[in-house]
Amino acid sequence: VEIGESVRGEDVYIIQSGCGEINDNLMELLIMINACKIASSSRVTAVIPCFPYARQDKKDKSRAPISAKLVANMLSVAGADHIITMDLHASQIQGFFDIPVDNLYAEPAVLQWIKENIAEWRNCIIVSPDAGGAKRVTSIADRLNVEFALIHKERKKANEVDRMVLVGDVKDRVAILVDDMADTCGTICHAADKLVSAGATKVYAILTHGIFSGPAISRINNAAFEAVVVTNTIPQEEKMKHCPKIQFIDISMILAEAIRRTHNGESVSYLFSHVPL
């Protein structure tokens, strides 16, 4: 990596999402941060829409790594002064850093999408496909003034779901599944079937990070979704060609406004509850 023009004394923002060839992208980001740092830039901010290895934020079994902490350390050592990211898998990841982290939320954009695209949103029910997303779902349900439901799932091993129990009444309602990321989509497709069998009239899924690896696309095509809505923290153009159900919410404005506010020393907290115009 070589920086093509002078960055001396500048406020530098490097945008790199954790997707695709994730390790190559992470390495490139670290090298770019370091290149800017030793080229005397005044401050380097890494804008990471989808934080790499965010799911490995604790030891879920013995001898497992805590990769999210490792990535945090690597970013700090490379010389990042500030991190802007979106919908971290666990908010506590902010505590892995000793530098400021702005964890932006896709929630305002999601609320806007629901109101604009789901005609009967007043009679919908917001559903979390696992207990971990309960907080996210209750927050959205409160702001739409609708009810919410939970699906409790038991996993025997990672990436595979065994048994699901629905808590809440979805009969004759539009169900909206909300989660922060979907990888192989096993969970949300299982959840969609569960909701349909419990009497939901339509099922939508709204996810912040659509990783869609392995069998995800074929699973979505075969599942009972009206639409699977993701943000473009990860580019989705290729996936949308193969799956007409995938739609995206553009969050570039949220990141742009966060960068503008950070650069001008303004408060970023406005973005936690509003979509910038």
Side-chain angles (χ1 to χ4, degrees):
V1 169
E2 193 177 316
I3 309 296
E5 56 187 273
S6 170
V7 291
R8 183 176 297 271
E10 299 283 0
D11 189 5
V12 179
Y13 293 83
I14 301 173
I15 300 174
Q16 177 79 290
S17 201
C19 60
E21 292 297 326
I22 180 165
N23 298 325
D24 293 357
N25 290 352
L26 177 59
M27 205 62 216
E28 186 178 69
L29 174 64
L30 296 170
I31 295 171
M32 282 185 79
I33 291 170
N34 192 248
C36 290
K37 211 55 196 169
I38 59 177
S40 307
S41 59
S42 73
R43 180 172 69 161
V44 179
T45 301
V47 182
I48 312 172
C50 181
F51 195 84
Y53 293 97
R55 279 191 289 189
Q56 193 67 51
D57 54 4
K58 56 182 181 289
K59 281 175 72 168
D60 44 3
K61 49 186 180 290
S62 63
R63 296 183 298 282
I66 305 181
S67 316
K69 170 73 169 145
L70 176 64
V71 172
N73 289 344
M74 285 158 71
L75 288 163
S76 301
V77 168
D81 298 299
H82 182 198
I83 305 289
I84 296 176
T85 183
M86 189 159 223
D87 269 1
L88 282 172
H89 190 61
S91 309
Q92 295 90 304
I93 293 174
Q94 295 170 84
F96 292 167
F97 290 90
D98 290 328
I99 54 177
V101 178
D102 284 319
N103 180 28
L104 303 171
Y105 299 114
E107 185 182 293
V110 167
L111 291 168
Q112 188 180 5
W113 189 91
I114 291 174
K115 287 177 179 170
E116 286 174 4
N117 294 278
I118 301 178
E120 56 271 52
W121 65 269
R122 286 182 175 79
N123 185 36
C124 74
I125 183 160
I126 313 290
V127 187
S128 173
D130 57 22
K135 201 170 166 186
R136 185 180 297 108
V137 167
T138 45
S139 167
I140 290 176
D142 282 349
R143 292 182 62 182
L144 288 173
N145 198 19
V146 295
E147 288 181 29
F148 71 94
L150 286 179
I151 290 177
H152 173 68
K153 66 178 182 208
E154 292 172 358
R155 282 176 191 251
K156 292 285 187 287
K157 58 176 188 272
N159 284 14
E160 283 184 31
V161 184
D162 282 283
R163 207 165 62 87
M164 292 191 137
V165 185
L166 175 66
V167 184
D169 179 25
V170 298
K171 193 164 167 47
D172 302 328
R173 290 198 180 148
V174 175
I176 304 175
L177 280 163
V178 177
D179 206 358
D180 66 329
M181 62 169 65
D183 183 1
T184 55
C185 294
T187 307
I188 63 161
C189 291
H190 259 96
D193 297 340
K194 188 89 189 165
L195 292 169
V196 169
S197 62
T201 52
K202 288 180 183 174
V203 182
Y204 291 85
I206 304 185
L207 317 155
T208 308
H209 308 298
I211 301 166
F212 300 144
S213 63
I217 296 295
S218 61
R219 279 177 178 171
I220 291 174
N221 281 327
N222 297 330
F225 293 113
E226 292 292 313
V228 174
V229 184
V230 291
T231 68
N232 54 354
T233 52
I234 295 172
Q236 300 293 350
E237 288 79 10
E238 280 305 305
K239 304 281 194 318
M240 288 168 77
K241 284 178 193 164
H242 301 133
C243 181
K245 289 184 185 176
I246 296 177
Q247 300 179 23
F248 81 94
I249 300 172
D250 186 16
I251 48 99
S252 56
M253 276 306 299
I254 298 177
L255 292 172
E257 183 65 6
I259 291 172
R260 192 192 67 75
R261 284 172 177 258
T262 307
H263 180 64
N264 295 332
E266 298 171 25
S267 164
V268 178
S269 57
Y270 174 83
L271 298 175
F272 297 156
S273 51
H274 299 83
V275 179
L277 298 168

